[in-house]
Amino acid sequence: MLLTRRCCYLFAFCLLPLWALSPLTLAASFPPPEGEVLLRLSGQIEHTNVGDELHLDRAMLMSLAPTVIETGTPWTEGVSRFKGPLARAVLEAAGVNVEHVRVRALDDFEAKVPVSDFHDYDVILAIERDGEPIAVRDLGPVFVLYPFDEHPELLNETIRFRSVWHVGTIHAP
Ligand SMILES: Nc1nc2c(c(=O)[nH]1)N[C@H]1C(S)=C(S)[C@@H](COP(=O)(O)O)O[C@H]1N2
Ligand SMILES: [Mo]
């Protein structure tokens, strides 16, 4: 009896607050964005902030596991320093629990990308190149970037197809 009560206290005072502070819960409470929206998550998502979508501005994106990848790509010259959130962190923030997502670009290009890619590799949603925002006339505003130099096996047609630039929406079907 005493033991049971102790367990209850343990849960209420120690474990519950820990759970409440987990990154997922924090992410779930994203307010509507104040800055320009760079990325929208739609479809089967758990955490929304505008209607049934999650809209993210630059600051919100950069708060989700900001990561630097220095790499060349088939579309850029030499090595660039790309920065942005880990793709898996963004999906976690939206509460996405599906096998693949549809990455939609502003030019209507769309790629079906297995979420496993984001766990197998540190794929980022690049929103900065060499310290500057990526312009839409370049590869921006959001560019799905695989770490090509670190994993040369990624330089194949399948991954090229999933390397979407001008990304506007990630849809969980
Ligand atoms: N926004 C956008 N991203 C895109 C595409 C596109 O048309 N629009 N084409 C994809 C495909 S099919 C490939 S192979 C590469 C195209 O690269 P390439 O045209 O330089 O070969 O980018 C991918 N990302
Ligand atoms: Mo392609």
Side-chain angles (χ1 to χ4, degrees):
M1 181 64 190
L2 187 63
L3 193 68
T4 318
R5 195 176 296 164
R6 264 197 202 142
C7 280
C8 280
Y9 286 147
L10 182 73
F11 184 71
F13 292 110
C14 304
L15 298 178
L16 211 58
L18 269 183
W19 167 80
L21 279 175
S22 78
L24 258 181
T25 315
L26 286 178
S29 61
F30 264 143
E34 282 172 20
E36 187 195 343
V37 176
L38 297 191
L39 181 70
R40 293 167 169 79
L41 288 105
S42 64
Q44 294 182 55
I45 62 170
E46 237 170 85
H47 310 141
T48 59
N49 64 352
V50 176
D52 51 9
E53 299 188 341
L54 179 67
H55 291 192
L56 300 171
D57 62 20
R58 184 170 297 279
M60 290 162 155
L61 283 165
M62 275 304 192
S63 75
L64 295 167
T67 301
V68 169
I69 296 181
E70 290 189 88
T71 189
T73 79
W75 311 282
T76 51
E77 253 180 65
V79 172
S80 304
R81 185 181 160 87
F82 293 98
K83 190 173 175 188
L86 284 176
R88 60 175 176 269
V90 173
L91 293 192
E92 269 164 34
V96 169
N97 193 16
V98 293
E99 304 256 298
H100 69 267
V101 288
R102 294 192 173 274
V103 181
R104 292 180 179 154
L106 304 173
D107 63 354
D108 281 344
F109 178 82
E110 183 181 290
K112 183 175 167 181
V113 181
V115 173
S116 57
D117 276 13
F118 304 152
H119 294 279
D120 295 343
Y121 298 98
D122 287 343
V123 177
I124 67 169
L125 303 182
I127 54 174
E128 237 182 68
R129 178 177 170 198
D130 297 328
E132 301 285 341
I134 307 176
V136 174
R137 83 184 102 81
D138 197 2
L139 299 163
V142 179
F143 171 37
V144 176
L145 176 73
Y146 286 76
F148 291 108
D149 283 5
E150 201 187 333
H151 299 278
E153 76 272 16
L154 289 169
L155 286 165
N156 60 65
E157 183 59 25
T158 304
I159 297 300
R160 284 170 72 103
F161 186 81
R162 295 173 188 165
S163 300
V164 185
W165 52 80
H166 308 323
V167 174
T169 303
I170 295 180
H171 183 74

